[in-house]
Amino acid sequence: MTRINSVLVANRGEIARRIFRTARDLGLSTVAVHSTADASMPFVPEADAAVHLPGNTPADTYLRADLIIEAAQRAGADAIHPGYGFLSENAAFAQAAIDAGLTWIGPPVDAISSMGSKIEAKKLMAAAGVPVLAELTPAEVGATDLPVLVKASAGGGGRGMRVVTRLEDLAAEIEAASAEALSAFGDGTVFCERYLAGGRHIEVQVMADQHGTIWAVGERECSIQRRHQKVVEEAPSPLVERIPAMRPRLYDAARTAAAAIGYVGAGTVEFLADEAGEFYFLEMNTRLQVEHPVTEETTGLDLVELQFAIAGGAQLVPEPPPTVGHAIEVRLYAEDPLRDWQPQTGVLHRFDLSSGVRVDSGVVDGSEVSPYYDAMLAKVIASGPDRTAVARRLAGVLERAAIHGVGTNRDLLAWILRHPAFLAGDTDTAFFDKHGVGAGPDDAAVRVSALAAALADAAGRQARTPVQVASGWRNVPSQPQRKKYQVGAVGYEVAYRLTRDGLVADGNVRLIQADPERVVLDVDGVRRSFAVAAYAGLVCVDSPLGNVSLTPVARFVDPAQQVAAGSLVAPMPGTVVRVGVQVGDKVTQGQPLLWLEAMKMEHTIAAPADGVVNELPVDAGQQVEVGAVLAVVGEDA
């Protein structure tokens, strides 16, 4: 048996906090590593010791195997847990840790290597008898093979993946996928396979010890995805529940896959299934998965604790515990689904989710969401005996949450959980293509929330006025006070009056109570309460009508903040990875001009209209801040 006393977690955010939690329960000391940008993030002080990795980008910090191993040695750690992402599936890192005398809390190096290339992994699985989709070389793809999925051979997380529906687009999409894969994984190798547009993403959690025991610890369904990245995960799978004969075959295939590569530790075998229950091997993740909590909630296991035990040489009992009940996990991302999943950055002023559910979070009040890492803020998990009840409870928790300062996909998640198709178990990888991405609060809800914000502001100013006569007070009826707010590109102007009877709202709204942080209004005969929180340049209003973030519009605009007409500005901080045009080029509306990478996602900056590129002040590889001018497109003279 190998004794572990101190573990370094070679990761950040919520997964670092998750592993620290189990390590503390086991009586182990913990070591964190952190970048400069992460110095104040909550996972750092939660560790017993922390080592700074100078820099901010993953390439300078969390992907530096040499610095991480040196940090473990300096802090006295005798084991390394890689978490997920970054170096978790890097065979060279695992070998370097072992060579340094550290216990590697992960699978054998050879197992990591064998699954590191999706092309080679599929060959191994086919030889072992695991069903696979036939691989197509780009040169042999014909019209009858469409649609096809172009995939990066190395890495995952949706990077280097493109769906191709027209043969004439294939070459360009292969080039783009290869460039993205090279940037993300250092390997531009791509391949093609048949694309199942309505496929179901089903995966099996495996756990294997050093003595030959292999568990299939229940299956999960992760079919609802954006940009080939998971958004909602659940256990058990609604599809497998509907086709009971599918489960034994699925488990056999997963155990066969693990045995074929001599697997040890926690891993996940991923399959793509159709509605008839036929399934095909996609890949094996040789690490802990983001969605592991739904397996824990339905089995009672602590998968991280099992990882520690197996790394120490413990033997599993012959069979895992059964799956009981249902669990659903949603990934709370700092992004705007209505604007092409655009990542959001900034200070998270408040992060408060109701009790009664499990929240695996990497952030707290005051955390800075930087552009350098993945956009996921937290995983919110609910469990219980009934799937529909779990979904509705989780939706309610999300709707009542107070999340201020950074835009999130919270509204989308609640919308999914209440959607009839989701509640019916009718989920597949084309869910958003079929049903859209929902919407935030409607216009009327935003307008009354803006009125509540204006009244709270007026109440605050009135309370601060020594003589109790606020701006706009009139002894006789006069013009109302007006205040403007912005929500995205839409402006809202609201009006109210200050009379000898106090604040009076206009229109069909009657004011019942107005305090700086709480406003109660009667709207069309229905009383509603609004919680209002004001920050610098931002007002957040939470109510049963929805959660609204308002930007106050200044009465006078600073000319220095204006940009030339036709300017395309950076929607978030990031790195320009490619530039597709030159000054003087004629462009058409929607034509890609350049590509910006931020928070592990690549974003296309396209021409807003037909015209000519008049200015192009950035180059590939350049870091830009939010609001920086990337290009100026003018009219074609």
Side-chain angles (χ1 to χ4, degrees):
M1 297 288 286
T2 300
R3 183 180 180 85
I4 298 173
N5 297 300
S6 177
V7 60
L8 178 143
V9 178
N11 221 292
R12 63 178 299 278
E14 64 85 17
I15 186 56
R17 300 181 80 189
R18 165 71 187 89
I19 297 166
F20 291 156
R21 186 168 70 242
T22 289
R24 284 194 300 270
D25 290 344
L26 296 173
L28 307 179
S29 64
T30 55
V31 180
V33 289
H34 66 89
S35 67
T36 303
D38 276 344
S40 60
M41 294 299 281
F43 76 93
V44 178
E46 288 182 6
D48 297 314
V51 179
H52 178 214
L53 305 177
N56 287 323
T57 67
D60 292 334
T61 55
Y62 300 108
L63 293 176
R64 286 287 302 273
D66 55 336
L67 296 182
I68 291 172
I69 291 171
E70 180 190 345
Q73 293 169 330
R74 285 167 54 195
D78 53 21
I80 284 184
H81 193 305
Y84 51 71
F86 295 128
L87 294 170
S88 62
E89 294 179 280
N90 187 300
F93 176 54
Q95 187 62 59
I98 294 167
D99 291 345
L102 300 165
T103 298
W104 171 251
I105 304 176
V109 173
D110 289 345
I112 299 174
S113 297
S114 62
M115 293 293 102
S117 164
K118 290 185 177 65
I119 294 174
E120 297 305 314
K122 292 181 70 171
K123 292 177 180 177
L124 274 171
M125 294 300 104
V130 178
V132 300
L133 283 171
E135 176 198 338
L136 301 168
T137 62
E140 65 186 6
V141 175
T144 57
D145 299 311
L146 298 174
V148 296
L149 183 63
V150 181
K151 298 177 70 173
S153 180
R159 306 297 302 276
M161 295 178 71
R162 299 288 192 281
V163 177
V164 180
T165 58
R166 303 191 313 163
L167 203 57
E168 56 266 36
D169 297 335
L170 183 62
E173 295 291 9
I174 286 173
E175 182 181 357
S178 180
E180 187 178 4
L182 183 64
S183 171
F185 314 122
D187 182 349
T189 306
V190 297
F191 66 98
C192 300
E193 65 184 18
R194 184 164 57 93
Y195 178 62
L196 299 181
R200 308 281 287 246
H201 189 116
I202 314 294
E203 60 188 34
V204 179
Q205 174 72 57
V206 296
M207 188 68 69
D209 63 22
Q210 301 175 28
H211 309 281
T213 302
I214 302 174
W215 282 358
V217 196
E219 87 282 344
R220 301 183 286 254
E221 180 155 350
C222 315
S223 296
I224 298 182
Q225 303 178 7
R226 58 95 166 106
R227 293 190 170 189
H228 309 292
Q229 291 181 311
K230 301 162 188 173
V231 176
V232 180
E233 300 115 336
E234 57 183 313
S237 158
L239 176 66
V240 179
E241 288 284 274
R242 180 165 58 82
I243 310 175
M246 182 180 175
R247 184 170 284 127
R249 295 189 297 116
L250 198 64
Y251 287 7
D252 284 346
R255 286 189 292 259
T256 298
I261 59 173
Y263 200 78
V264 173
T268 300
V269 187
E270 301 196 353
F271 301 94
L272 189 64
D274 61 24
E275 289 295 329
E278 296 303 314
F279 56 86
Y280 308 92
F281 173 84
L282 282 177
E283 61 183 346
M284 183 173 184
N285 293 127
T286 54
R287 53 171 169 80
L288 197 67
Q289 288 278 83
V290 176
E291 56 270 26
H292 76 272
V294 294
T295 297
E296 294 183 326
E297 293 297 309
T298 52
T299 62
L301 295 170
D302 183 329
L303 297 182
V304 176
E305 182 178 351
L306 283 173
Q307 286 186 293
F308 279 110
I310 289 170
Q315 186 169 356
L316 297 171
V317 298
E319 296 293 332
T323 295
V324 178
H326 204 93
I328 302 174
E329 170 183 295
V330 293
R331 300 190 189 189
L332 187 67
Y333 287 113
E335 66 184 14
D336 186 348
L338 299 177
R339 298 173 65 191
D340 196 27
W341 314 100
Q342 189 178 102
Q344 307 291 296
T345 59
V347 176
L348 194 60
H349 299 298
R350 188 177 181 195
F351 186 75
D352 181 17
L353 285 101
S354 303
S355 60
V357 296
R358 173 175 169 176
V359 180
D360 285 13
S361 168
V363 296
V364 294
D365 291 359
S367 292
E368 176 87 25
V369 181
S370 79
Y372 301 108
Y373 314 113
D374 188 272
M376 190 172 73
L377 301 177
K379 304 177 309 196
V380 189
I381 309 103
S383 59
D386 179 74
R387 180 178 183 268
T388 298
V390 168
R392 287 176 173 163
R393 179 157 56 91
L394 186 53
V397 167
L398 291 166
E399 289 163 346
R400 289 189 296 271
I403 305 171
H404 299 167
V406 177
T408 73
N409 65 337
R410 176 255 302 276
D411 289 343
L412 170 70
L413 298 175
W415 173 81
I416 293 169
L417 293 167
R418 295 194 185 280
H419 198 286
F422 178 82
L423 294 175
D426 183 16
T427 59
D428 58 37
T429 54
F431 188 88
F432 293 135
D433 294 331
K434 293 178 180 178
H435 304 293
V437 294
D442 61 30
D443 186 75
V446 175
R447 189 168 296 280
V448 73
S449 296
L451 177 59
L455 292 169
D457 177 64
R461 285 187 284 108
Q462 191 169 5
R464 293 190 297 271
T465 304
V467 294
Q468 295 295 302
V469 179
S471 169
W473 187 90
R474 295 290 186 275
N475 191 41
V476 294
S478 183
Q479 295 300 309
Q481 293 281 84
R482 300 185 184 277
K483 196 165 182 64
K484 294 181 180 180
Y485 296 96
Q486 197 86 6
V487 178
V490 181
Y492 292 87
E493 181 178 275
V494 294
Y496 59 91
R497 297 175 185 273
L498 291 165
T499 72
R500 62 182 63 194
D501 295 321
L503 292 168
V504 177
D506 272 7
N508 61 339
V509 180
R510 183 167 62 89
L511 176 65
I512 297 173
Q513 177 186 342
D515 297 319
E517 296 180 354
R518 184 171 180 265
V519 172
V520 181
L521 300 174
D522 183 302
V523 183
D524 290 329
V526 179
R527 180 177 293 204
R528 300 191 185 279
S529 180
F530 300 82
V532 182
Y535 308 96
L538 177 70
V539 182
C540 298
V541 182
D542 298 317
S543 79
L545 295 177
N547 310 93
V548 178
S549 294
L550 304 158
T551 302
V553 177
R555 289 188 177 184
F556 305 103
V557 179
D558 183 354
Q561 296 179 347
Q562 295 181 313
V563 296
S567 296
L568 297 173
V569 298
M572 78 288 286
T575 302
V576 178
V577 291
R578 285 181 289 153
V579 178
V581 293
Q582 297 178 339
V583 173
D585 285 356
K586 292 184 179 180
V587 295
T588 57
Q589 183 178 4
Q591 178 181 336
L593 306 183
L594 51 88
W595 290 263
L596 189 67
E597 185 178 278
M599 300 172 98
K600 294 175 65 178
M601 294 175 67
E602 193 173 278
H603 306 271
T604 302
I605 307 299
D610 296 352
V612 174
V613 179
N614 289 337
E615 296 181 37
L616 196 63
V618 295
D619 297 310
Q622 184 174 331
Q623 291 272 343
V624 294
E625 294 299 320
V626 63
V629 176
L630 304 175
V632 179
V633 176
E635 293 184 1
D636 186 350

